[in-house]
Amino acid sequence: MTSAISVEDRCIDAFNELKTSRHITTVLYRLNHNLDTLIVDFEGNLTHDELLKALPSDPRLVVYELHFADRDGSRRAVIVLISWSPHGTSPEQMAAHAAVYVALRNQLDGIDLSIEAMSRSELEYDRLVRAART
């Protein structure tokens, strides 16, 4: 693994498409096999349940548009950046994933909430909504 991890331009483009066009609600990113470049793994529309099922057993970064009703009943949407590092991730993967998480977060303008999760229970819908409301 090299010390510098690059982020493909398509990663930023996919985020901007999610943010502006609303044709997609979810972008999953992964590191390439050399752990030196972040690439788009998936982009499309997933419900919250589908997102949880789509998370693999290796690390991913996810940008997800979370829709919910606020306390006053108004509908809201926030863009969440999720760092998914499930249990069993190798130390090398963890280090690369942490570095690219910071790099991506710094390049994306419009993230409302950042979450780091190691289990699906940390990404339950109600937990995300509570975090978004604070």
Side-chain angles (χ1 to χ4, degrees), residues 108-121:
L108 300 182
D109 182 33
I111 297 294
D112 300 304
L113 177 64
S114 296
I115 302 286
E116 296 181 35
M118 295 179 72
S119 69
R120 284 174 176 77
S121 65

Side-chain angles (χ1 to χ4, degrees), residues 20 28 62 68 112 122:
T20 59
L28 276 77
V62 180
F68 61 96
D112 300 304
E122 294 175 284

Side-chain angles (χ1 to χ4, degrees), residues 21-86:
S21 73
R22 306 295 188 203
H23 291 281
I24 61 173
T25 60
T26 311
V27 181
L28 276 77
Y29 305 97
R30 68 174 176 83
L31 285 166
N32 66 353
H33 294 295
N34 295 328
L35 302 178
D36 63 3
T37 304
L38 187 69
I39 60 176
V40 173
D41 190 41
F42 169 85
E43 57 184 297
N45 292 305
L46 296 178
T47 66
H48 185 76
D49 288 339
E50 290 170 335
L51 170 63
L52 293 181
K53 289 177 186 172
L55 292 173
S57 59
D58 55 330
R60 292 292 188 273
L61 295 177
V62 180
V63 174
Y64 178 66
E65 188 175 57
L66 176 69
H67 294 265
F68 61 96
D70 213 348
R71 288 184 178 94
D72 64 3
S74 61
R75 298 199 41 81
R76 286 192 52 206
V78 297
I79 298 176
V80 182
L81 174 62
I82 300 167
S83 172
W84 170 248
S85 298

